[in-house]
Every structure is written in structure tokens, then in C-alpha cells.
Amino acid sequence: MGSNSTTSYSKLSAAMAANSLYNDTNTASGASDADPQIFTVSYVANYQSANLVVGGNTQISSGVTVDSAAGVTSGHVSFGTNDSALRVAGYRYTVKTPDGKTYATLSSALAGTTGLYDNTNNATNSDAAPQTYTVEYAAITQTAEVVVAETEDEYSGQVLETVTGDTGAALGIKLTDATLQSMEMTQGYTYYVTVKHADDSLVTDEAGNVIRYATLDEAIAANNSFDAVDENADHSGIKQFILNPVPSY
């Protein structure tokens, strides 16, 4: 651009071609130019984009894109999704940034330089290499047990078997009705089974009535997976199959 020009060009070569001659400022011999021609180069940040996806090998859908964001080179990445939305009962998670660093939360992953858009050369509003932030979930270890209901005899509250495993996994309880019937504690008694979730709520039917299973095998078949509860929450955190003795006549 010449000293009096306000025309913009997409390339320096185009600007030079259109303004290839020096101006006609009257400058004394040996003196500096009082009105030099100035070619001003202005930089505009390129369009950039980023995706927030689920990774890892868990029951949480892997490969799903949770959110997307767009901005410009060196701008701050900002997703509409926050840490509260990423929490899933029974799982903990971490967030891996495009440079491979791992953080405990999305907010910490987006803080500092790891939360800036990169500098891919994109001529249009389409990013040839969008950045990927990966949320990786890991199942929390859950507990289940077979326990005798609170009674007035020596077996009251006795835990007969305890198993642990990942959220949503099969329980793997080995105790059966056949085993129970051979135990001294069941002599002279029948029993029914109620099931209490790890959040301390009882399994009920559609009408809200507590379900009484006639056998342990039936109760396990209907509830054969670990519950999804978080660590340090306000509940027992243990799924229970409760044997309720009934005296035989």
C-alpha cells in the first residue's frame, strides 16, 4: 500500500505489483524521506477447532463425541460441557489433552497452555487437524454381600459371602440355596430374600412394594450386577441380598 492508499491485498506480491513505483515526495539530496511509503502487514488468526470425546475401554460408550468448540489460533478452548456433566455414577474419569498430558478434571485440562488452540494453517472455517480432548472413564470397585437379616438369634446380621468387582459387572456370588439348606442356621427355618441397593434403597415392584424373592438364586438372577455408586457418598455402598428367616411349623 502506498502512503496515501487504503487498499488491502491478500498477498504482499499483489500489493507490490499495484504499488511498484516510489512516490514523488520532494526530498532534498542526502535527506531522509519525510513521507515514506509504508506497506503494513496485518495478521489474522486462523480458524481452529477442538473435540471432546470419550475414550478408554469401559461400559461408557467409547469414541462418542461429547462436545465440539471452535475459535482461533492461540485462543482459549471453551466447551459447553463442564465437569458436572461428565460425572457418571460408579465411575471416575480423567481428561487427556492433545499433547498427551492427563488431568483429573476438564477444567484443569483447559487451564494454561494445554487449553489453547493450536496453529494449524486453515484457509477456511474448516480445521484440517482439530484438537482432541479425551475423557477416559474407569469403573469404581463395588461390593455386594449375602447377609442374614437382623434377628434375635446368633446369626443376626451375619455376612455369609462378600464379592467385589467393577461397576456393572456380574456379581459372581457362589452361595446358592442348595448350600444354604445344608447349613445349620437354616434348620427349622425357611426364608425369603430382599435386595438392598448400594444406595440403601430396597428393590421394589412398579407399585413401590418391596419384592420378596422366594429363593436366593432367584434374587441373584434378577439383580446380578454390581451397582453404580460413587466413592465416599452418603450411603453404605454395599449391595445386599438379605436372608429373612421364617420359622417352620
Side-chain angles (χ1 to χ4, degrees):
M1 288 176 283
S3 60
N4 296 316
S5 173
T6 58
T7 305
S8 296
Y9 301 88
S10 60
K11 295 182 179 179
L12 177 61
S13 58
M16 293 291 293
N19 302 271
S20 60
L21 301 177
Y22 285 108
N23 62 17
D24 55 0
T25 305
N26 291 321
T27 304
S29 178
S32 60
D33 191 344
D35 184 22
Q37 292 158 274
I38 299 174
F39 292 80
T40 303
V41 180
S42 299
Y43 289 92
V44 178
N46 284 165
Y47 171 92
Q48 308 292 345
S49 66
N51 294 320
L52 182 65
V53 304
V54 176
N57 183 24
T58 68
Q59 292 179 332
I60 306 297
S61 298
S62 182
V64 172
T65 299
V66 178
D67 203 351
S68 297
V72 296
T73 300
S74 296
H76 284 278
V77 178
S78 179
F79 293 111
T81 300
N82 57 26
D83 285 294
S84 294
L86 291 177
R87 294 191 183 98
V88 177
Y91 291 84
R92 63 177 67 89
Y93 70 90
T94 56
V95 179
K96 184 176 290 185
T97 57
D99 61 359
K101 296 178 181 177
T102 300
Y103 294 85
T105 62
L106 177 61
S107 59
S108 59
L110 296 178
T113 58
T114 56
L116 299 180
Y117 285 107
D118 60 16
N119 58 353
T120 307
N121 289 322
N122 300 308
T124 63
N125 285 354
S126 177
D127 194 341
Q131 294 157 264
T132 299
Y133 292 80
T134 306
V135 184
E136 296 187 344
Y137 288 93
I140 294 172
T141 299
Q142 309 286 351
T143 302
E145 62 186 22
V146 180
V147 61
V148 179
E150 297 296 330
T151 62
E152 296 180 356
D153 59 26
E154 60 185 301
Y155 302 109
S156 177
Q158 182 174 332
V159 177
L160 304 179
E161 184 178 358
T162 300
V163 291
T164 58
D166 289 345
T167 298
L171 296 176
I173 292 176
K174 294 181 172 57
L175 194 62
T176 65
D177 291 290
T179 307
L180 287 172
Q181 289 164 11
S182 67
M183 297 172 66
E184 182 179 351
M185 60 174 287
T186 61
Q187 303 306 307
Y189 288 87
T190 58
Y191 56 84
Y192 63 89
V193 181
T194 52
V195 180
K196 186 170 72 172
H197 288 301
D199 65 2
D200 297 332
S201 64
L202 289 166
V203 174
T204 60
D205 59 22
E206 293 181 357
N209 302 309
V210 175
I211 297 177
R212 293 186 174 191
Y213 297 95
T215 65
L216 176 62
D217 295 343
E218 180 187 0
I220 292 174
N223 303 275
N224 193 23
S225 62
F226 286 101
D227 288 342
V229 293
D230 295 327
E231 299 167 308
N232 303 320
D234 188 22
H235 47 60
S236 66
I238 300 174
K239 185 173 191 171
Q240 290 185 323
F241 293 82
I242 305 169
L243 303 181
N244 299 271
V246 179
S248 299
Y249 292 97

